[in-house]
Amino acid sequence: MSRLNTDRPYDIVLFGATGFVGTLTAEYLAAHAPDGLRWAIAGRSGGRLERLRERLRERLPGGAEIGVLRADVSDPASLRALAEQARVVATTVGPYVEYGEELVAACADTGTDYVDLTGEPEFVDLMYVRHDARARETGARLVHACGFDSVPHDLGAYFTVRQLPEGVPLTVDGFVTADAAFSGGTFASALNQFARHRGLRAAARERRHHEPRLVDRRASAPLGAPRYAPEVGAWALPLPTIDGQIVRRSARALDRYGPDFRYRHYAAVRRLPVAVGGVAAVGALVTAAQVPSLRRRLSDRLRPGDGPGPEKRARSRFSVRFVGEGGGLRVYTEVAGGDPGYDETAKMLAEGALSLAFDDLPPAAGQVTTAVAMGDALIDRLRAAGIRFRVAATR
Ligand SMILES: NC(=O)c1ccc[n+]([C@@H]2O[C@H](COP(=O)([O-])OP(=O)(O)OC[C@H]3O[C@@H](n4cnc5c(N)ncnc54)[C@H](OP(=O)(O)O)[C@@H]3O)[C@@H](O)[C@H]2O)c1
């Protein structure tokens, strides 16, 4: 069990519990809560929280003893009070670059472990610059991107590295295939990010000024070029998501990734026309997001709280295939599961919070990735919860 804060009233507080992914995460926790878990749902609307608690109580075995906490991102004192009552805070309140900072600040200052679902590099970089040092002082672990962004990629690369020899240069390529359907919250976060490229670059620059240089080791995650990848039998399109940056940070922090590590992150698409169409659609969305009136009209099409229904989610799947090489060995691995954006994301967030609260983990503090903070313990939890991590072949 974590050394931190065992005297606090709750092991886990879930903030944003009444949103789309928040509700799925609350249902997951209620269905899988270990005996004696002390947890609370938190959000800005007391009425919605009470209705959610009633539903959880009626339907699920672990629903009986759930606390309710009111907190609003526009009221920093309420976030501080929330952080002080929890050993671990899990939050789904995004776009994080708009709504997230005060809670990170409160957790860093009160020594409270923190997990979120952000896929926003600007937010992660700013939180590093502003709150990493304080979190190191208090012992808080600040774990961003604990959903489909970036758990399968970060833990998948970590798992692949563990199959390769130690102490030699390593390369890992990740190839993602996933069904994508947006919730209102994800769509809003994506549009918001597309419109903020200047802020994104400035935050990355600021981070580089603050981050200590690696001595005697290298870790990189360059954007690859589009290509046909015979090793996975698909077209590989470079994916400029946060995932490559997260994998690189794990490689910086952990010697096991060797003296010279390189990761490249791709979408894998079987048919060339689909690949070309996908690039054009994203390009059109990025362009439209630059114009405020178009952005508003787009975001009106999918409201906060909306998202794909249970049938659509039940048909959705993801797979991330990795090809790792080093020391004369080539290894093929895969991480795969069900609906990536929502069901599996809720599972990853909940299991991440449970892992921080209860697993015997390596010492860590400050802004850390899932591989650094939880590594094998979270892989074991996700495997037990139905997400596959497997070695497909070694040559
Ligand atoms: N990493 C991943 O793979 C992944 C996957 C899915 C989603 N996400 C991210 O997760 C976030 C949530 O997505 P979602 O679809 O669940 O969005 P959502 O349904 O719109 O939920 C947002 C939550 O934020 C709460 N909120 C908004 N303003 C607030 C305020 N002032 N004070 C307190 N709470 C406030 C909402 O409360 P109310 O219920 O009271 O409105 C709601 O609970 C998004 O940023 C999305 O990008 C990431």
Side-chain angles (χ1 to χ4, degrees):
M1 181 176 323
S2 161
R3 318 137 271 135
L4 281 175
N5 304 325
T6 43
D7 55 338
R8 297 191 180 176
Y10 296 111
D11 297 311
I12 295 174
V13 170
L14 173 62
F15 186 45
T18 52
F20 186 73
V21 189
T23 300
L24 294 174
T25 310
E27 288 172 355
Y28 184 90
L29 278 172
H32 299 88
D35 281 348
L37 177 72
R38 302 166 307 147
W39 69 290
I41 50 176
R44 59 181 164 174
S45 157
R48 280 192 194 181
L49 288 166
E50 282 304 338
R51 284 195 292 281
L52 174 62
R53 174 157 72 172
E54 277 319 302
R55 284 207 312 279
L56 295 173
R57 272 188 178 150
E58 280 162 20
R59 291 184 11 219
L60 295 161
E65 302 297 333
I66 304 168
V68 164
L69 299 177
R70 292 268 305 277
D72 194 301
V73 295
S74 58
D75 174 7
S78 71
L79 300 176
R80 171 106 193 173
L82 186 155
E84 282 171 341
Q85 295 187 66
R87 295 177 51 230
V88 180
V89 169
T91 171
T92 70
V93 178
Y96 290 86
V97 79
E98 282 183 17
Y99 297 147
E101 175 160 6
E102 290 294 347
L103 184 57
V104 175
C107 288
D109 207 43
T110 54
T112 307
D113 289 329
Y114 167 99
V115 271
D116 73 23
L117 290 180
T118 189
E120 298 153 69
E122 179 185 359
F123 176 68
V124 176
D125 288 345
L126 288 177
M127 295 309 96
Y128 175 81
V129 170
R130 295 175 187 165
H131 304 294
D132 171 75
R134 180 65 182 140
R136 285 174 192 272
E137 285 169 12
T138 63
R141 291 167 289 190
L142 306 178
V143 185
H144 301 288
C146 196
F148 184 65
D149 292 318
S150 297
V151 168
H153 321 295
D154 189 28
L155 292 185
Y158 171 85
F159 176 77
T160 308
V161 163
R162 302 279 304 247
Q163 319 302 320
L164 292 166
E166 288 189 47
V168 295
L170 301 178
T171 63
V172 176
D173 285 348
F175 300 90
V176 186
T177 325
D179 291 350
F182 281 124
S183 69
T186 305
F187 195 52
S189 292
L191 284 177
N192 199 42
Q193 260 202 101
F194 293 154
R196 297 180 63 97
H197 47 90
R198 274 201 204 92
L200 192 140
R201 280 202 298 272
R205 246 192 333 268
E206 235 188 299
R207 181 185 190 120
R208 278 197 299 278
H209 284 313
H210 282 75
E211 217 165 30
R213 283 190 178 280
L214 269 188
V215 182
D216 298 334
R217 291 179 62 231
R218 277 167 49 86
S220 64
L223 259 196
R227 64 186 171 96
Y228 184 75
E231 61 273 34
V232 290
W235 291 90
L237 306 175
L239 267 183
T241 51
I242 196 171
D243 307 304
Q245 300 176 24
I246 297 278
V247 172
R248 187 177 67 81
R249 275 171 212 145
S250 296
R252 279 178 59 98
L254 299 173
D255 286 344
R256 181 62 182 85
Y257 287 65
D260 190 357
F261 176 83
R262 186 204 68 199
Y263 178 73
R264 291 181 305 191
H265 194 54
Y266 296 103
V269 184
R270 285 213 183 281
R271 294 177 46 238
L272 187 57
V274 176
V276 173
V279 172
V282 173
L285 208 56
V286 172
T287 309
Q290 312 310 312
V291 184
S293 59
L294 279 178
R295 197 162 66 239
R296 268 194 304 279
R297 275 168 60 186
L298 279 169
S299 61
D300 282 347
R301 296 173 74 96
L302 209 47
R303 306 298 305 161
D306 288 346
E311 283 123 48
K312 164 77 187 146
R313 297 203 311 272
R315 288 195 304 273
S316 299
R317 296 273 175 278
F318 79 89
S319 156
V320 194
R321 286 170 291 169
F322 297 91
V323 181
E325 286 192 79
L329 200 69
R330 178 183 257 208
V331 65
Y332 296 80
T333 65
E334 185 186 31
V335 180
D339 170 53
Y342 305 101
D343 291 338
E344 300 295 44
T345 281
K347 184 186 283 179
M348 291 168 200
L349 183 67
E351 292 292 352
L354 288 166
S355 181
L356 288 176
F358 296 114
D359 292 343
D360 193 10
L361 298 174
Q367 189 186 93
V368 277
T369 63
T370 53
V372 173
M374 295 170 269
D376 296 312
L378 187 53
I379 291 177
D380 290 348
R381 283 182 168 276
L382 295 176
R383 276 180 150 160
I387 294 182
R388 282 195 312 283
F389 285 75
R390 70 181 186 111
V391 178
T394 307
R395 295 206 182 113

